[in-house]
C-alpha cells in the first residue's frame, strides 16, 4: 500500500511553468563558472546554495543575471537541459514546456542564437532519447528589457524560426509591476499569426488589470501565475467560462511575497470557483522546491483528495500546447498509469 503522498510522487506529471535558467543546480553553476572563468560571489556549493535562497526580488534578479553570465557555450546550454531532463524523469514528469529568455543571453553575454539554440536543441533531443521526457519551449519577451523594440523583434522572430525545433509559445516575463501587457500586443499578434500559442505571465506582482490586459491585448491561452484573478469575481468567471487555465506556482508566490503564507494562497478558492488550475515549480532550486513538492501541496495544504489531484495533474496534459493527437495519447497514458497506481493506494489516507 502507498500513501497519497507516495502516489503523487509516482504519478505521471506535466510541468508547464518553469524557467530553464531557474533550474540550474548550485553545483552545476559552480562547474560552469570555473570552466568559463566567471567570477561568482561564492566559491563552494554550500555557499552558493545559501546564496540561491530567496530573500527579495532584487537579490533574485542578481542571482538570475549571475546564472546567465555563466552560460557561454552550446555545451553549457546542453548540460543544463540534460540535467533538468534527468530531474524531470526522476519525478516522473513526462512532458515540460520550459520558458527560455533568449534576449538575456544575447544582450547580457553576447551569446547568439547559433550557440544557445544549438545547445538547448541538443539537450532536448538527448533528454527525449535518454529519459523519454518530452520538452518544448516557450520563448519569452522580457517586459523591462532595453533597447525595447529590438529585443522584442529578436525574440519573436527567433520563436517563429524555432517552431520546427520545439518552440510552441511566446511568453512575457520580467518585471510585471509598471510594465502592463498592452504594449506587447504587436509581437504577440505576429507570433500568433505564425501559429505560436500565447502564454504570458500575468496576475502575479500586478492585479486583475494585468490579466485582463493579457487576455484582451495578448489573447492569452494560458496565464503564467494568474492567481490574482481571485481579486475580481468577474475575471474568475470569465477565465472559467473561456477555459483559460492558470499555471500556479504556490511556493514561488510565497517567496515573492504575493501571499504572506501558504495557508492564504487562493489555489483552492480558484479551483472551487471553476478555474482550471495546474501546478508547477517556476524556478525550483531558487525557491528550494521541486515539481513533486508543489504537487504534494495539493493534499498537504490545499486538502484535495485523490480525484482532484488526478484532475489537476491531468490539466497539465489537457492544457499543454502539444498537438491534439499527441496530447490525447499522453492523456490516455496518464489515465492508465494513474488507474494502475490507484490499485495500491491506501484508501485510509
Ligand atoms: Zn515564471
Amino acid at each position: 500500500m502507498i500513501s497519497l503522498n507516495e502516489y503523487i510522487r509516482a504519478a505521471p506529471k506535466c510541468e508547464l511553468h518553469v524557467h530553464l535558467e531557474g533550474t540550474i543546480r548550485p553545483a552545476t553553476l559552480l562547474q560552469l563558472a570555473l570552466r568559463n572563468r566567471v567570477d561568482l560571489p561564492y566559491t563552494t556549493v554550500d555557499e552558493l546554495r545559501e546564496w540561491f535562497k530567496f530573500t527579495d526580488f532584487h537579490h533574485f534578479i542578481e542571482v538570475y543575471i549571475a546564472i546567465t553570465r555563466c552560460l557561454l557555450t552550446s555545451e553549457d546550454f546542453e548540460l543544463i537541459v540534460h540535467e533538468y531532463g534527468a530531474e524531470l524523469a526522476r519525478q516522473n514528469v513526462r512532458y515540460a514546456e520550459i520558458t527560455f529568455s533568449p534576449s538575456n543571453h544575447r544582450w547580457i553575454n553576447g551569446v547568439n542564437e547559433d550557440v544557445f539554440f544549438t545547445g538547448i536543441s541538443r539537450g532536448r533531443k538527448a533528454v527525449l532519447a535518454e529519459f523519454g521526457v518530452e520538452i518544448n519551449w516557450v520563448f519569452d519577451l522580457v517586459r523591462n528589457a532595453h533597447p525595447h523594440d529590438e529585443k522584442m523583434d529578436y525574440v519573436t522572430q527567433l520563436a517563429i524560426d524555432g517552431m520546427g525545433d520545439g518552440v510552441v509559445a511566446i511568453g512575457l516575463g520580467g518585471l510585471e509591476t509598471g510594465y502592463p501587457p498592452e504594449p506587447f500586443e504587436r509581437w504577440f499578434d505576429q507570433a500568433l499569426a505564425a501559429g505560436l500559442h500565447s502564454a504570458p505571465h500575468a496576475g502575479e506582482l500586478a492585479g486583475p488589470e494585468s490579466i485582463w490586459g493579457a487576455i484582451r491585448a495578448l489573447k492569452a491561452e494560458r496565464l503564467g501565475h494568474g492567481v490574482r484573478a481571485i481579486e475580481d469575481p468577474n475575471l474568475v468567471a470569465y477565465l472559467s467560462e473561456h477555459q483559460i487555465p492558470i499555471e500556479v506556482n504556490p511556493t514561488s508566490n510565497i517567496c515573492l511575497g504575493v501571499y504572506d503564507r501558504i495557508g492564504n494562497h487562493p489555489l483552492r478558492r480558484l479551483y472551487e470557483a471553476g478555474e482550471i488550475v495546474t501546478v508547477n515549480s517556476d524556478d525550483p532550486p531558487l525557491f528550494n522546491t521541486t515539481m513533486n513538492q508543489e504537487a504534494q501541496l495539493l493534499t498537504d495544504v490545499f486538502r484535495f483528495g485523490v480525484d482532484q489531484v488526478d484532475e489537476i495533474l491531468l490539466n497539465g496534459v489537457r492544457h499543454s500546447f502539444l498537438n491534439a493527437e499527441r496530447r490525447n495519447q499522453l492523456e490516455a497514458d496518464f489515465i492508465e498509469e494513474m488507474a494502475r497506481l490507484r490499485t495500491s493506494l491506501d484508501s485510509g489516507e
Side-chain angles (χ1 to χ4, degrees):
M1 283 292 147
I2 58 170
S3 69
L4 190 48
N5 267 333
E6 287 165 324
Y7 175 83
I8 290 171
R9 279 201 293 277
K13 288 168 284 278
C14 288
E15 165 89 286
L16 300 181
H17 192 117
V18 63
H19 298 261
L20 181 64
E21 299 88 342
T23 65
I24 197 164
R25 299 176 312 134
T28 308
L29 187 65
L30 193 58
Q31 180 192 338
L32 292 174
L34 289 171
R35 95 178 176 202
N36 291 329
R37 297 190 168 77
V38 176
D39 278 334
L40 288 177
Y42 300 101
T43 54
T44 69
V45 171
D46 284 343
E47 286 170 333
L48 283 178
R49 194 172 288 122
E50 267 310 298
W51 183 59
F52 263 30
K53 281 187 189 152
F54 188 87
T55 52
D56 59 38
F57 200 71
H58 177 78
H59 172 74
F60 179 70
I61 296 294
E62 189 182 300
V63 174
Y64 233 88
I65 290 171
I67 290 172
T68 304
R69 285 176 47 240
C70 290
L71 294 164
L72 292 178
T73 67
S74 295
E75 289 71 29
D76 299 343
F77 288 93
E78 184 178 353
L79 173 74
I80 62 168
V81 175
H82 188 265
E83 284 197 349
Y84 191 57
E87 184 57 29
L88 291 171
R90 191 184 69 76
Q91 300 182 58
N92 205 13
V93 176
R94 299 292 178 78
Y95 174 65
E97 283 171 8
I98 303 181
T99 294
F100 181 73
S101 308
S103 62
N104 286 349
H105 300 285
R106 173 72 184 75
W107 270 267
I108 291 175
N109 276 346
V111 174
N112 71 34
E113 60 281 6
D114 296 342
V115 172
F116 62 69
F117 201 61
T118 302
I120 65 171
S121 295
R122 276 196 211 133
R124 173 175 176 261
K125 287 191 188 112
V127 166
L128 181 62
E130 198 172 328
F131 308 112
V133 175
E134 287 174 69
I135 291 174
N136 281 324
W137 308 113
V138 179
F139 279 8
D140 74 338
L141 308 177
V142 179
R143 295 168 190 266
N144 46 307
H146 296 280
H148 194 264
D149 288 12
E150 191 182 350
K151 288 184 177 173
M152 304 308 147
D153 287 342
Y154 173 76
V155 174
T156 306
Q157 194 55 52
L158 207 59
I160 294 170
D161 293 345
M163 288 175 68
D165 291 298
V167 182
V168 291
I170 185 116
L172 182 66
L175 216 55
E176 190 182 8
T177 320
Y179 294 90
E182 288 80 359
F184 300 91
E185 182 168 9
R186 70 179 168 99
W187 292 287
F188 272 71
D189 281 348
Q190 196 187 331
L192 290 168
L196 286 164
H197 293 280
S198 168
H201 285 58
E204 178 195 19
L205 297 173
E209 69 290 352
S210 176
I211 301 177
W212 282 118
I215 294 166
R216 288 173 180 149
L218 311 184
K219 294 94 191 165
E221 293 163 79
R222 232 171 45 208
L223 293 159
H225 298 288
V227 284
R228 291 187 58 189
I230 198 74
E231 295 163 30
D232 178 352
N234 290 330
L235 177 56
V236 176
Y238 184 93
L239 292 176
S240 51
E241 186 192 333
H242 291 83
Q243 303 258 298
I244 301 172
I246 55 174
E247 305 154 3
V248 184
N249 310 278
T251 301
S252 163
N253 291 159
I254 304 311
C255 287
L256 265 73
V258 183
Y259 301 101
D260 61 346
R261 57 192 179 83
I262 198 75
N264 288 335
H265 194 285
L267 188 152
R268 178 145 191 147
R269 278 178 286 145
L270 286 159
Y271 172 89
E272 281 170 359
E275 177 51 13
I276 299 167
V277 303
T278 65
V279 70
N280 309 275
S281 71
D282 210 5
D283 301 283
L286 299 181
F287 299 134
N288 195 24
T289 190
T290 62
M291 182 61 203
N292 274 346
Q293 280 173 252
E294 297 302 294
Q296 285 176 339
L297 295 173
L298 293 175
T299 57
D300 293 350
V301 172
F302 300 110
R303 298 286 155 209
F304 288 117
V306 65
D307 289 343
Q308 294 161 317
V309 167
D310 282 357
E311 178 192 342
I312 291 169
L313 296 183
L314 284 168
N315 280 343
V317 195
R318 290 170 179 154
H319 300 280
S320 70
F321 296 137
L322 284 165
N323 68 47
E325 188 191 348
R326 182 70 197 111
R327 200 173 58 225
N328 292 337
Q329 188 188 4
L330 196 63
E331 183 183 345
D333 291 349
F334 274 35
I335 290 171
E336 191 185 314
E337 194 166 333
M338 285 166 167
R340 191 168 45 74
L341 281 167
R342 283 243 198 161
T343 60
S344 47
L345 184 65
D346 184 351
S347 55
E349 172 92 16

